[in-house]
């Protein structure tokens, strides 16, 4: 059974036009009908250009933003419409690590207080129990428990991100949503944090939804990868399949821009240029939203929106021109 299931999730923000049209309300379709699953112990990478809706999706999953429509299930239990006390119980199952290790920690709190925040909010632990748990987490993060009474500014960027991870793991969640957790860090520190995340996943059977724009980082950590474009998932596949034989033209273009460490292969790499700007999520193109930039678009693409479905090769993609796998009945899995 999936740990997290998202069905047709939408997050739309109303905005008003300026000037004479101020009263006219329009919608930013930040997330526009996303279906995804995350299984226990796996990492699902979520990639896409900035502004594609991945961070909004993450915030909707952890209930920091109320979805406009759609459903979120944790171990089959719906999150919508449940009582605040039940939501408090469910919140222990999913936690989030934010991108910026500098701004995501309250500078006025000690590290002990920061890590204890979710324990205070979501458990009945007394002070002594919280203190013991915080010490345990410091050791798990390879941080010296003697530093518990220090403040965030006394730590390096990598250490702060370890504190963020400790806070997320305090209540022993099953799913951690990681929103660009290493993009603000130096490359050598990035590798340390990725190794730490991999070790923690093995020890605690954690599932990650790992959001990043760096496709090399996503490849290292993810079992499956979902690609987002303008609020929609356009391809989902096992990592090796996606990187070796991408199906969707947008995935192909993204991957063609990733440098290859082998100098010979790097010289031979053919980049697929994407023409034009990303369309506005307020005014999405008719048909396939990728058609104004797609190098292989045809007439049908400007007319009918494609659906995410199982294609030949086993991955899911939403593209009229990728042949469908007619041997399967559903578009789920991957
Ligand atoms: Fe390109 Fe058409 Fe496929 Fe969209 S449906 S990705 S425009 S080929």
């Amino acid at each position: 059974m999936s740990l997290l299931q998202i069905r047709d999730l939408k997050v739309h923000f109303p905005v008003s036009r300026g000037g004479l049209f101020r009263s006219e309300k329009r919608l930013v379709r930040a997330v526009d009908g996303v279906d995804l699953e995350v299984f226990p112990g796996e990492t699902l990478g979520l990639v896409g250009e900035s502004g594609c809706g991945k961070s909004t999706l993450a915030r909707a999953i952890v209930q920091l933003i109320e979805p406009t429509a759609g459903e979120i299930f944790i171990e089959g239990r719906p999150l919508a419409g449940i009582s605040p006390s039940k939501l408090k119980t469910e919140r222990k199952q999913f936690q989030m690590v934010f991108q910026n290790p500098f701004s995501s920690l309250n500078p006025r709190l000690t590290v002990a207080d920061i890590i204890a925040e979710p324990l205070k909010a979501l458990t009945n632990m007394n002070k002594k129990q919280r203190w013991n748990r915080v010490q345990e987490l410091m050791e798990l993060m390879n941080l010296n428990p003697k530093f518990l009474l220090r403040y965030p500014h006394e730590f390096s960027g990598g250490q702060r991100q370890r504190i963020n991870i400790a806070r997320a793991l305090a209540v022993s969640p099953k799913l951690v949503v990681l929103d660009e957790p290493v993009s603000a860090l130096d490359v050598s520190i990035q590798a340390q944090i990725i190794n730490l995340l991999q070790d923690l996943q093995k020890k605690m059977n954690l599932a990650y939804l790992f959001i990043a724009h760096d496709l090399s980082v996503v490849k290292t950590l993810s079992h499956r990868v979902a690609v987002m474009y303008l609020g929609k998932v356009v391809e989902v596949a096992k990592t090796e399949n996606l990187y070796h034989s991408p199906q969707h033209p947008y995935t192909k273009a993204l991957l063609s821009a990733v440098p290859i460490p082998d100098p010979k292969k790097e010289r031979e790499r053919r980049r697929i240029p994407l023409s034009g700007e990303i369309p506005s999520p307020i005014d999405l193109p008719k048909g396939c939203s990728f058609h104004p930039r797609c190098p292989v678009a045809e007439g049908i693409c400007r007319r009918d929106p494609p659906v995410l479905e199982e294609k030949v090769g086993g991955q899911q993609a939403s593209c009229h021109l990728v042949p469908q796998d007619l041997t399967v009945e559903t578009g789920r899995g991957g």
Side-chain angles (χ1 to χ4, degrees):
M1 186 208 257
S2 54
L3 176 57
L4 169 74
Q5 187 177 21
I6 301 166
R7 278 201 212 137
D8 199 20
L9 198 77
K10 293 181 181 162
V11 183
H12 296 170
F13 300 110
V15 287
S16 51
R17 294 175 77 174
L20 283 174
F21 304 101
R22 193 165 295 155
S23 60
E24 191 182 318
K25 290 276 182 267
R26 305 176 83 197
L27 287 177
V28 175
R29 296 171 194 275
V31 176
D32 200 27
V34 166
D35 293 87
L36 275 181
E37 280 179 296
V38 181
F39 294 93
E42 81 156 347
T43 301
L44 176 69
L46 185 61
V47 298
E49 290 161 293
S50 98
C52 70
K54 17 186 226 304
S55 291
T56 306
L57 176 63
R59 281 165 169 73
I61 291 168
V62 297
Q63 306 290 293
L64 291 176
I65 297 175
E66 194 176 341
T68 311
E71 294 172 293
I72 301 170
F73 298 87
I74 297 289
E75 295 178 321
R77 300 180 298 276
L79 290 185
I82 62 174
S83 67
S85 68
K86 279 197 176 149
L87 185 59
K88 192 171 156 181
T89 308
E90 294 293 359
R91 269 183 187 281
K92 281 190 253 176
Q93 310 292 345
F94 53 85
Q95 293 288 307
M96 182 156 175
V97 172
F98 295 91
Q99 175 179 2
N100 193 326
F102 299 93
S103 62
S104 54
L105 300 177
N106 186 335
R108 282 182 283 276
L109 295 183
T110 63
V111 168
D113 286 337
I114 289 169
I115 299 175
E117 273 177 332
L119 297 173
K120 267 189 190 170
L122 301 176
T123 74
N124 297 323
M125 282 184 177
N126 63 31
K127 209 171 168 184
K128 174 87 178 103
Q129 289 168 323
R130 290 200 299 267
W131 180 258
N132 290 342
R133 176 68 179 144
V134 168
Q135 280 197 316
E136 201 178 282
L137 287 157
M138 285 292 274
E139 278 163 22
L140 196 61
M141 298 303 130
N142 299 323
L143 290 168
N144 191 337
K146 284 186 190 154
F147 298 160
L148 272 174
L149 296 178
R150 294 191 180 183
Y151 289 86
H153 73 268
E154 297 174 80
F155 293 87
S156 67
Q159 288 172 324
R160 288 184 207 201
Q161 202 54 307
R162 284 169 193 263
I163 295 166
N164 262 319
I165 296 168
R167 176 174 59 185
L169 297 188
V171 290
S172 306
K174 292 180 180 166
L175 169 73
V176 183
V177 177
L178 301 149
D179 188 8
E180 304 261 11
V182 295
S183 57
L185 303 173
D186 293 343
V187 175
S188 61
I189 308 296
Q190 283 188 4
Q192 290 174 16
I193 296 292
I194 286 171
N195 289 341
L196 174 70
L197 288 169
Q198 285 176 319
D199 287 348
L200 292 169
Q201 183 168 51
K202 276 190 209 129
K203 271 186 204 153
M204 302 165 74
N205 194 34
L206 287 167
Y208 295 140
L209 178 62
F210 184 84
I211 298 169
H213 63 272
D214 183 333
L215 287 147
S216 319
V217 173
V218 171
K219 188 180 179 186
T220 311
L221 202 69
S222 306
H223 300 98
R224 292 184 302 132
V225 178
V227 181
M228 256 185 108
Y229 184 76
L230 273 180
K232 287 187 163 65
V233 170
V234 296
E235 183 158 2
V236 189
K238 284 183 182 159
T239 306
E240 68 219 53
N241 293 352
L242 190 110
Y243 282 77
H244 284 123
S245 59
Q247 300 288 308
H248 195 280
Y250 178 61
T251 315
K252 288 181 185 176
L254 279 185
L255 287 174
S256 78
V258 178
I260 303 170
D262 179 334
K264 186 167 175 278
K265 286 187 181 160
E266 175 62 16
R267 271 196 300 279
E268 288 163 4
R269 176 167 66 96
R270 272 186 52 245
R271 193 164 175 176
I272 303 170
L274 287 178
S275 56
E277 296 292 314
I278 303 182
S280 164
I282 299 178
D283 196 11
L284 292 174
K286 210 172 160 230
C288 173
S289 5
F290 186 56
H291 83 72
R293 302 172 79 200
C294 181
V296 292
E298 293 187 355
I300 186 176
C301 308
R302 289 176 265 279
R303 208 176 51 237
D304 301 331
V307 293
L308 188 68
E309 60 193 357
E310 201 99 9
K311 300 291 189 181
V312 169
Q315 50 236 69
Q316 291 174 272
S318 67
C319 175
H320 292 303
L321 303 195
V322 179
Q324 195 182 347
D325 185 351
L326 297 173
T327 61
V328 292
E329 289 177 4
T330 72
R332 298 199 176 281

